[in-house]
Amino acid sequence: MLTITQALYDQIVAHARKDHPDEACGVVAGPAGSDRPERFIAMLNAAMSPTFYEFDSGDLLKLYRELDDRGEEPVVIYHSHTATEAYPSRTDISYANEPGAHYVLVSTADTDGLGDFQFRSFRIVDGVVTEEEVRVVETY
């Protein structure tokens, strides 16, 4: 289960809406080994595409160095889908290389008739996708 604060949830959704119609992407870092998302880090979608996201390799290297220096790890890796449901694509699955991370997808398309976005979380390990419950809390 992903437990995330309302403030972080809102930041992820706001980023997805702001970058629409392109896909948004980013990370929520937390203390290494804690499984606790704490620090929101919006990243630039280097692909600038409505159907694909890609972290800039230089930005990603800088991010991982910073995480290392701070004793953090990527707890949540998120991106948006602008025209499809919030479910990992084949490409998303192939690029998922953090087995301990929660992969959050926000869809900015009303694909289910339930509103203008979906927020879902998945574990992706060795190509296997498992959806998990999302619990939004005011504070930890």
Side-chain angles (χ1 to χ4, degrees), residues 95-113:
Y95 283 119
N97 61 1
E98 289 286 347
H102 302 269
Y103 285 88
V104 165
L105 280 112
V106 175
S107 175
T108 53
D110 183 3
T111 58
D112 60 6

mmCIF file of all heavy atoms in Angstrom, residues 95-113:
data_model
loop_
_atom_site.group_PDB
_atom_site.id
_atom_site.type_symbol
_atom_site.label_atom_id
_atom_site.label_comp_id
_atom_site.label_asym_id
_atom_site.label_seq_id
_atom_site.Cartn_x
_atom_site.Cartn_y
_atom_site.Cartn_z
ATOM 1 N N TYR A 95 10.714 0.356 -18.611
ATOM 2 C CA TYR A 95 11.612 1.338 -17.999
ATOM 3 C C TYR A 95 11.589 1.317 -16.475
ATOM 4 O O TYR A 95 12.352 2.044 -15.833
ATOM 5 C CB TYR A 95 11.285 2.751 -18.484
ATOM 6 C CG TYR A 95 11.787 3.034 -19.883
ATOM 7 C CD1 TYR A 95 10.902 3.360 -20.896
ATOM 8 C CD2 TYR A 95 13.135 2.971 -20.188
ATOM 9 C CE1 TYR A 95 11.349 3.617 -22.183
ATOM 10 C CE2 TYR A 95 13.598 3.223 -21.468
ATOM 11 C CZ TYR A 95 12.703 3.544 -22.457
ATOM 12 O OH TYR A 95 13.158 3.794 -23.732
ATOM 13 N N ALA A 96 10.724 0.519 -15.883
ATOM 14 C CA ALA A 96 10.608 0.473 -14.417
ATOM 15 C C ALA A 96 11.796 -0.292 -13.837
ATOM 16 O O ALA A 96 11.844 -1.515 -13.890
ATOM 17 C CB ALA A 96 9.295 -0.190 -14.015
ATOM 18 N N ASN A 97 12.766 0.452 -13.283
ATOM 19 C CA ASN A 97 13.983 -0.196 -12.799
ATOM 20 C C ASN A 97 14.245 0.061 -11.317
ATOM 21 O O ASN A 97 15.371 -0.088 -10.856
ATOM 22 C CB ASN A 97 15.186 0.220 -13.649
ATOM 23 C CG ASN A 97 15.423 1.719 -13.596
ATOM 24 O OD1 ASN A 97 14.705 2.446 -12.913
ATOM 25 N ND2 ASN A 97 16.418 2.190 -14.319
ATOM 26 N N GLU A 98 13.217 0.457 -10.585
ATOM 27 C CA GLU A 98 13.329 0.662 -9.137
ATOM 28 C C GLU A 98 12.337 -0.277 -8.459
ATOM 29 O O GLU A 98 11.186 0.096 -8.207
ATOM 30 C CB GLU A 98 13.017 2.120 -8.764
ATOM 31 C CG GLU A 98 14.067 3.117 -9.166
ATOM 32 C CD GLU A 98 15.310 3.047 -8.300
ATOM 33 O OE1 GLU A 98 15.278 2.405 -7.231
ATOM 34 O OE2 GLU A 98 16.326 3.629 -8.696
ATOM 35 N N PRO A 99 12.735 -1.515 -8.149
ATOM 36 C CA PRO A 99 11.770 -2.492 -7.625
ATOM 37 C C PRO A 99 11.138 -2.097 -6.289
ATOM 38 O O PRO A 99 10.048 -2.567 -5.967
ATOM 39 C CB PRO A 99 12.588 -3.776 -7.492
ATOM 40 C CG PRO A 99 14.012 -3.360 -7.548
ATOM 41 C CD PRO A 99 14.075 -2.067 -8.294
ATOM 42 N N GLY A 100 11.761 -1.208 -5.538
ATOM 43 C CA GLY A 100 11.194 -0.793 -4.259
ATOM 44 C C GLY A 100 10.270 0.399 -4.351
ATOM 45 O O GLY A 100 9.628 0.773 -3.372
ATOM 46 N N ALA A 101 10.169 1.006 -5.540
ATOM 47 C CA ALA A 101 9.389 2.236 -5.698
ATOM 48 C C ALA A 101 7.919 1.948 -5.957
ATOM 49 O O ALA A 101 7.542 0.898 -6.473
ATOM 50 C CB ALA A 101 9.948 3.076 -6.844
ATOM 51 N N HIS A 102 7.100 2.927 -5.596
ATOM 52 C CA HIS A 102 5.693 2.950 -5.971
ATOM 53 C C HIS A 102 5.629 3.730 -7.286
ATOM 54 O O HIS A 102 6.106 4.858 -7.355
ATOM 55 C CB HIS A 102 4.852 3.677 -4.920
ATOM 56 C CG HIS A 102 4.948 3.091 -3.553
ATOM 57 N ND1 HIS A 102 4.095 2.108 -3.093
ATOM 58 C CD2 HIS A 102 5.808 3.342 -2.527
ATOM 59 C CE1 HIS A 102 4.418 1.792 -1.852
ATOM 60 N NE2 HIS A 102 5.454 2.525 -1.492
ATOM 61 N N TYR A 103 5.047 3.128 -8.301
ATOM 62 C CA TYR A 103 4.891 3.802 -9.589
ATOM 63 C C TYR A 103 3.479 4.379 -9.651
ATOM 64 O O TYR A 103 2.504 3.632 -9.741
ATOM 65 C CB TYR A 103 5.157 2.837 -10.750
ATOM 66 C CG TYR A 103 6.628 2.562 -10.911
ATOM 67 C CD1 TYR A 103 7.248 1.537 -10.219
ATOM 68 C CD2 TYR A 103 7.411 3.374 -11.723
ATOM 69 C CE1 TYR A 103 8.613 1.306 -10.339
ATOM 70 C CE2 TYR A 103 8.770 3.153 -11.859
ATOM 71 C CZ TYR A 103 9.364 2.117 -11.159
ATOM 72 O OH TYR A 103 10.718 1.901 -11.283
ATOM 73 N N VAL A 104 3.385 5.684 -9.548
ATOM 74 C CA VAL A 104 2.093 6.367 -9.553
ATOM 75 C C VAL A 104 1.810 6.875 -10.954
ATOM 76 O O VAL A 104 2.676 7.481 -11.585
ATOM 77 C CB VAL A 104 2.080 7.525 -8.529
ATOM 78 C CG1 VAL A 104 0.897 8.456 -8.773
ATOM 79 C CG2 VAL A 104 2.051 6.980 -7.113
ATOM 80 N N LEU A 105 0.605 6.618 -11.401
ATOM 81 C CA LEU A 105 0.141 7.155 -12.679
ATOM 82 C C LEU A 105 -1.089 8.002 -12.436
ATOM 83 O O LEU A 105 -2.000 7.606 -11.702
ATOM 84 C CB LEU A 105 -0.191 6.032 -13.660
ATOM 85 C CG LEU A 105 1.068 5.481 -14.314
ATOM 86 C CD1 LEU A 105 1.322 4.088 -13.845
ATOM 87 C CD2 LEU A 105 0.934 5.558 -15.797
ATOM 88 N N VAL A 106 -1.084 9.181 -13.039
ATOM 89 C CA VAL A 106 -2.229 10.084 -12.992
ATOM 90 C C VAL A 106 -2.711 10.235 -14.419
ATOM 91 O O VAL A 106 -1.930 10.597 -15.299
ATOM 92 C CB VAL A 106 -1.834 11.466 -12.418
ATOM 93 C CG1 VAL A 106 -3.013 12.432 -12.496
ATOM 94 C CG2 VAL A 106 -1.330 11.339 -10.992
ATOM 95 N N SER A 107 -3.975 9.929 -14.648
ATOM 96 C CA SER A 107 -4.542 10.169 -15.968
ATOM 97 C C SER A 107 -5.299 11.479 -15.937
ATOM 98 O O SER A 107 -6.131 11.704 -15.058
ATOM 99 C CB SER A 107 -5.491 9.037 -16.376
ATOM 100 O OG SER A 107 -6.105 9.375 -17.607
ATOM 101 N N THR A 108 -4.991 12.347 -16.888
ATOM 102 C CA THR A 108 -5.701 13.621 -17.001
ATOM 103 C C THR A 108 -6.833 13.523 -18.014
ATOM 104 O O THR A 108 -7.436 14.524 -18.369
ATOM 105 C CB THR A 108 -4.733 14.760 -17.379
ATOM 106 O OG1 THR A 108 -4.002 14.393 -18.555
ATOM 107 C CG2 THR A 108 -3.764 15.046 -16.249
ATOM 108 N N ALA A 109 -7.131 12.300 -18.457
ATOM 109 C CA ALA A 109 -8.267 12.049 -19.360
ATOM 110 C C ALA A 109 -9.366 11.375 -18.542
ATOM 111 O O ALA A 109 -9.092 10.489 -17.741
ATOM 112 C CB ALA A 109 -7.838 11.134 -20.499
ATOM 113 N N ASP A 110 -10.591 11.779 -18.738
ATOM 114 C CA ASP A 110 -11.706 11.139 -18.045
ATOM 115 C C ASP A 110 -12.041 9.849 -18.793
ATOM 116 O O ASP A 110 -12.913 9.812 -19.650
ATOM 117 C CB ASP A 110 -12.908 12.074 -17.985
ATOM 118 C CG ASP A 110 -14.076 11.467 -17.212
ATOM 119 O OD1 ASP A 110 -13.919 10.346 -16.674
ATOM 120 O OD2 ASP A 110 -15.138 12.100 -17.153
ATOM 121 N N THR A 111 -11.317 8.777 -18.448
ATOM 122 C CA THR A 111 -11.497 7.512 -19.162
ATOM 123 C C THR A 111 -12.523 6.609 -18.498
ATOM 124 O O THR A 111 -12.922 5.610 -19.080
ATOM 125 C CB THR A 111 -10.158 6.749 -19.245
ATOM 126 O OG1 THR A 111 -9.675 6.529 -17.912
ATOM 127 C CG2 THR A 111 -9.133 7.526 -20.046
ATOM 128 N N ASP A 112 -12.931 6.936 -17.279
ATOM 129 C CA ASP A 112 -13.840 6.055 -16.556
ATOM 130 C C ASP A 112 -15.151 6.728 -16.147
ATOM 131 O O ASP A 112 -15.968 6.124 -15.469
ATOM 132 C CB ASP A 112 -13.156 5.473 -15.323
ATOM 133 C CG ASP A 112 -12.693 6.547 -14.340
ATOM 134 O OD1 ASP A 112 -12.993 7.735 -14.558
ATOM 135 O OD2 ASP A 112 -12.032 6.183 -13.358
ATOM 136 N N GLY A 113 -15.338 7.986 -16.534
ATOM 137 C CA GLY A 113 -16.554 8.698 -16.183
ATOM 138 C C GLY A 113 -16.622 9.120 -14.727
ATOM 139 O O GLY A 113 -17.645 9.587 -14.246
#
